[in-house]
């Protein structure tokens, strides 16, 4: 039916309008899924065949509308691996996410064949959370479109993310949508008045209680005063001309100049963006590098100063010491490449962190061992993929004075539990370094900034964000952007941030909600697979 197609598209459009960075539209998340639920109900309750296939197709294209309009910029972000190669790689976020979403809806339909609608809708929430957790955990990971991220522009509403993380937001969105759907669908099913009133009361309670608690927490929250003076630099070097336009030493000179322009004698941290040290450096011989010496010369003017900077690193092996190691052109050695962060201080001590959450396609080849035969194809098409290695866990940079900083590189900042793992290890603030210039002047850079607010709330930590071309910012423990730069300008920001050693419930327990939901989802999927060959009539109980 065309009506159902229009309903699915309407859901996609509502979710897109509600999505960051659009301001003042987050409330549409609470109704955005209702048309989709109505369309599925129409298919389930009318006579016909191949209902499961129809529901999958319908929901898939509705979610494609939402995803494509929200993350259209992904192709720009991937062009660096090659313009032709980027086309099939960019299809992963455009179509794989919607396919998994539609899969959750298909399993919901199958469950409706065996259990009442109310229980099946509760199962749908678990199935959806299971999809979201899968999509942040496997090698094709892309958790950008997790529903709970949708409140990033209205962070005052979700201060309780310090207990639940973004998955609490996902449950909130689905719960309100389901209640509104049941109220609407009851109008055509001769629903009892008492049932309708109970649903309306439930919808008001589920919507209003979290909102009220959050606003109270937001306006009553006070930070413990424990200041540290931090400068973030924004050198504004075009990433597409970064290698050829300026030599690496000149790029470093730009960074030290903009940092000097705002630094004070008591400045403790200088945060420089991803790959700020533009020349690939041997991890074992960083102290011999002219860029290390240039950075230390800059730091000599600041007694307590530390630089957290992005850098391209590599390690050389005589044999294939790691699964990710590549063979040199002449075959004489193996090597690993890293997208790294390094802490440089006024001593001989150096601390490294190698980016762990790598961008599928651009920095890592998903299921690399199984698909390693594709590497020559990518090379032939003018791109390179799967060429970076990473470390297995998060890290904390500790200064000589004992301050702990969480180095987060670009894409990693959308993983709540991963960022929290560093806070759990002792990080007192979060330092995000990124190079969003790859995405050009699109909404991707704004979404990336907005998502950083969620990490601040989850852990009650300040975020110092250095972006090569923007948007750099300071975000306080409530998720407020205290300062931010403009896009594509050379500048710096200085801020006294409050360090914190307190740990939130979410910091300590991480993604307990999606893990629980995923287990329940697996149980339900198992039940569906067991009964899938049994004929059944859809239950349409009210």
């Amino acid at each position: 039916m065309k009506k159902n197609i229009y309903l699915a598209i309407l859901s996609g459009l509502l979710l897109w309008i509600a999505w960051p960075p659009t301001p003042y539209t987050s409330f549409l998340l609470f109704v955005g899924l209702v048309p989709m639920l109505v369309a599925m109900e129409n298919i389930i309750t009318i006579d016909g065949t191949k209902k499961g296939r129809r529901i999958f197709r319908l929901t898939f294209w509705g979610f494609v509308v939402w995803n494509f309009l929200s993350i259209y910029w992904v192709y720009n972000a991937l062009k660096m691996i090659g313009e032709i190669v980027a086309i099939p790689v960019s299809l992963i976020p455009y179509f794989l996410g919607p396919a998994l979403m539609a899969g959750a809806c298909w399993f919901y339909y199958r469950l409706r064949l065996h259990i009442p609608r109310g229980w099946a809708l509760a199962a749908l929430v678990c199935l959806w959370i299971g999809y979201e957790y899968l999509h942040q955990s496997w090698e094709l990971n892309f958790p950008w479109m997790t529903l709970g991220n949708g409140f990033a522009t209205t962070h005052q509403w979700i201060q309780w993310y310090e207990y639940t993380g973004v998955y609490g937001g996902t449950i909130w969105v689905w719960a309100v949508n389901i209640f509104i759907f049941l109220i609407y669908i009851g109008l055509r099913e001769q629903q009892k008045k008492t049932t309708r009133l109970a649903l309306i009361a439930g919808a008001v309670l589920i919507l209003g209680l979290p909102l009220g608690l959050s606003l109270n927490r937001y306006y009553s929250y006070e930070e413990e005063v424990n200041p540290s003076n931090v400068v973030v630099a924004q050198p504004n070097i075009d990433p597409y001309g970064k290698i050829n336009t300026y030599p690496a030493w000149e790029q470093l000179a730009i960074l030290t100049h903009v940092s000097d322009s705002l630094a004070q004698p008591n400045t403790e941290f200088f945060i420089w963006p991803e790959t700020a040290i533009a020349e690939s450096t041997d991890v074992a011989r960083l102290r011999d590098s002219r860029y290390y010496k240039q950075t230390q010369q800059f730091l000599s003017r600041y007694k307590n100063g530390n630089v957290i900077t992005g850098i391209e690193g590599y390690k050389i092996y005589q044999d294939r010491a790691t699964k990710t190691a590549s063979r040199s052109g002449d075959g004489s050695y193996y090597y690993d490449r890293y997208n790294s962060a390094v802490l440089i201080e006024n001593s001989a001590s150096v601390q490294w962190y190698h980016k762990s959450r790598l961008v599928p396609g651009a920095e890592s080849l998903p299921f690399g061992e199984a698909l390693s035969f594709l590497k020559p194809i990518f090379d032939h098409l003018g791109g390179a993929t799967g060429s970076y290695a990473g470390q297995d866990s998060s890290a904390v940079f500790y200064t000589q004075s004992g301050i702990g900083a969480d180095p987060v590189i670009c894409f990693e900042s959308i993983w709540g539990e991963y960022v929290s793992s560093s806070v759990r290890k002792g990080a007192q603030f979060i330092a995000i370094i990124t190079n969003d210039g790859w995405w050009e002047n699109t909404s991707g850079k704004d979404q990336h900034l907005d998502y950083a607010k969620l990490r601040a709330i989850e852990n009650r930590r300040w975020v110092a964000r250095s972006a090569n071309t923007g948007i750099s910012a300071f975000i306080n423990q409530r998720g407020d952007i205290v300062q931010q730069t403009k896009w594509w300008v050379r500048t710096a920001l200085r801020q006294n941030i409050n360090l914190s050693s307190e740990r939130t419930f979410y910091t300590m327990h991480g993604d307990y909600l999606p893990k629980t939901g995923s287990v329940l989802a697996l149980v339900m999927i198992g039940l569906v697979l067991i009964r899938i060959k049994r004929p059944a009539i859809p239950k349409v109980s009210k």
Side-chain angles (χ1 to χ4, degrees):
M1 290 176 61
K2 288 185 178 180
K3 178 183 177 181
N4 292 331
I5 295 173
Y6 294 149
L7 287 171
I9 292 173
L10 177 59
S11 269
L13 292 173
L14 287 171
L15 292 170
W16 165 57
I17 295 170
W19 207 249
T22 309
Y24 314 120
T25 58
S26 298
F27 67 92
L28 291 175
L29 289 170
F30 295 123
V31 296
L33 292 163
V34 173
M36 190 80 76
L37 289 168
V38 173
M40 287 194 291
E41 190 70 14
N42 290 340
I43 294 173
I44 291 171
T45 54
I46 64 172
D47 293 332
T49 59
K50 300 180 180 178
K51 294 182 179 181
R53 188 177 301 176
R54 290 163 63 188
I55 284 176
F56 184 90
R57 284 201 302 262
L58 181 84
T59 55
F60 172 75
W61 289 113
F63 291 133
V64 165
V65 170
W66 169 36
N67 279 251
F68 183 79
L69 292 176
S70 298
I71 54 173
Y72 64 92
W73 47 264
V74 165
Y75 174 76
N76 289 15
L78 294 172
K79 281 193 300 185
M80 62 180 178
I81 66 173
E83 293 187 356
I84 297 177
V85 174
I87 294 173
V89 175
S90 62
L91 296 180
I92 295 174
Y94 292 153
F95 293 107
L96 180 58
L100 294 172
M101 297 173 189
C105 295
W106 181 85
F107 276 109
Y108 160 70
Y109 160 72
R110 296 300 308 184
L111 286 169
R112 281 289 299 276
L113 300 178
H114 305 288
I115 61 178
R117 181 169 60 198
W119 286 105
L121 287 168
L124 175 58
V125 179
C126 294
L127 290 164
W128 188 277
I129 289 177
Y131 130 70
E132 288 188 340
Y133 190 62
L134 169 67
H135 212 30
Q136 80 160 32
S137 304
W138 66 341
E139 294 196 32
L140 288 169
N141 52 62
F142 190 75
W144 202 275
M145 300 302 292
T146 299
L147 268 176
N149 290 338
F151 294 109
T153 56
T154 48
H155 62 281
Q156 300 88 348
W157 297 5
I158 41 86
Q159 294 293 304
W160 37 267
Y161 275 17
E162 64 180 316
Y163 295 98
T164 68
V166 295
Y167 291 98
T170 294
I171 294 172
W172 195 28
V173 169
W174 267 111
V176 176
N177 273 274
I178 286 171
F179 268 83
I180 294 175
F181 159 72
L182 291 173
I183 293 168
Y184 171 80
I185 212 72
L187 297 176
R188 73 184 192 190
E189 293 180 348
Q190 298 180 345
Q191 193 177 67
K192 291 181 180 179
K193 184 177 180 180
T194 53
T195 302
R196 185 176 301 118
L197 290 175
L199 288 171
I200 292 172
V204 171
L205 185 65
I206 290 173
L207 177 61
L209 185 59
L211 184 60
L213 291 172
S214 181
L215 291 174
N216 178 68
R217 177 64 167 160
Y218 177 79
Y219 288 110
S220 63
Y221 184 83
E222 294 183 4
E223 296 183 9
E224 182 181 347
V225 178
N226 184 14
S228 179
N229 190 266
V230 179
V231 170
V232 298
Q234 183 171 302
N236 197 45
I237 299 170
D238 186 344
Y240 290 100
K242 191 175 175 67
I243 297 176
N244 301 319
T245 305
Y246 300 98
W249 67 266
E250 189 172 343
Q251 294 182 42
L252 207 54
I254 292 171
L255 282 160
T256 58
H257 174 72
V258 297
S259 299
D260 269 329
S261 68
L262 287 179
Q264 296 175 326
N266 66 331
T267 298
E268 293 184 280
F269 286 95
F270 298 91
I271 315 296
W272 295 348
E274 182 181 17
T275 63
I277 297 179
E279 189 168 302
S280 192
T281 304
D282 189 339
V283 171
R285 305 187 63 182
L286 175 63
R287 294 180 188 84
D288 298 331
S289 164
R290 65 176 295 184
Y291 312 113
Y292 171 79
K293 296 172 182 177
Q294 190 176 352
T295 304
Q296 279 221 315
Q297 184 179 4
F298 159 74
L299 281 175
S300 65
R301 300 190 287 275
Y302 305 99
K303 180 180 178 181
N304 298 318
N306 303 269
V307 168
I308 296 176
T309 180
I311 184 173
E312 287 268 353
Y314 66 86
K315 286 183 180 178
I316 293 177
Y317 317 105
Q318 295 305 310
D319 51 25
R320 193 173 186 184
T322 66
K323 293 181 180 179
T324 54
S326 299
R327 195 171 186 174
S328 65
D330 61 6
S332 61
Y333 62 90
Y334 291 83
Y335 65 93
D336 269 324
R337 294 174 60 210
Y338 303 99
N339 184 355
S340 303
V342 64
L343 176 71
I344 300 174
E345 57 186 15
N346 277 309
S347 74
S349 174
V350 173
Q351 298 174 53
W352 282 85
Y353 166 69
H354 305 307
K355 184 179 180 182
S356 175
R357 297 295 185 265
L358 301 171
V359 180
E363 295 178 322
S364 67
L365 180 63
F367 312 109
E369 292 188 3
L371 301 180
S372 59
F373 66 92
L374 292 176
K375 286 188 178 183
I377 298 175
F378 286 126
D379 293 338
H380 179 71
L381 291 173
T385 187
S387 56
Y388 283 90
Q391 64 183 60
D392 295 330
S393 62
S394 61
V396 180
F397 286 160
Y398 283 103
T399 67
Q400 295 180 77
S401 60
I403 298 174
D406 177 8
V408 179
I409 304 175
C410 190
F411 191 53
E412 294 180 321
S413 65
I414 60 174
W415 269 267
E417 185 176 53
Y418 186 76
V419 173
S420 293
S421 66
S422 288
V423 177
R424 193 161 57 247
K425 294 174 182 177
Q428 295 166 284
F429 78 98
I430 300 166
I432 297 176
I433 60 174
T434 186
N435 188 0
D436 294 349
W438 297 112
W439 310 352
E440 301 175 356
N441 192 14
T442 65
S443 60
K445 70 182 190 309
D446 303 289
Q447 291 172 355
H448 202 196
L449 171 64
D450 286 333
Y451 291 176
K453 297 190 287 185
L454 307 178
R455 308 291 85 82
I457 294 168
E458 289 166 346
N459 300 286
R460 297 302 180 188
R461 293 292 189 275
W462 273 77
V463 174
R465 188 176 194 269
S466 173
N468 173 29
T469 56
I471 302 171
S472 302
F474 284 104
I475 303 171
N476 69 15
Q477 295 173 18
R478 297 193 309 180
D480 301 320
I481 297 179
V482 178
Q483 289 192 71
Q484 71 177 74
T485 64
K486 293 182 179 179
W487 168 255
W488 211 265
V489 294
R490 182 170 295 165
T491 187
L493 298 173
R494 183 184 68 233
Q495 179 73 39
N496 282 325
I497 69 172
N498 283 321
L499 305 174
S500 176
S501 297
E502 296 298 318
R503 297 178 181 179
T504 66
F505 185 88
Y506 180 76
T507 299
M508 294 302 297
H509 300 282
D511 288 334
Y512 64 94
L513 283 176
K515 291 173 183 175
T516 303
S518 297
V519 170
L520 294 174
L522 288 173
V523 172
M524 295 165 198
I525 290 171
L527 292 174
V528 167
L529 295 177
I530 290 171
R531 300 187 179 191
I532 199 165
K533 293 183 179 181
R534 299 181 184 180
I537 299 174
K539 295 185 178 182
V540 291
S541 59
K542 303 174 182 55

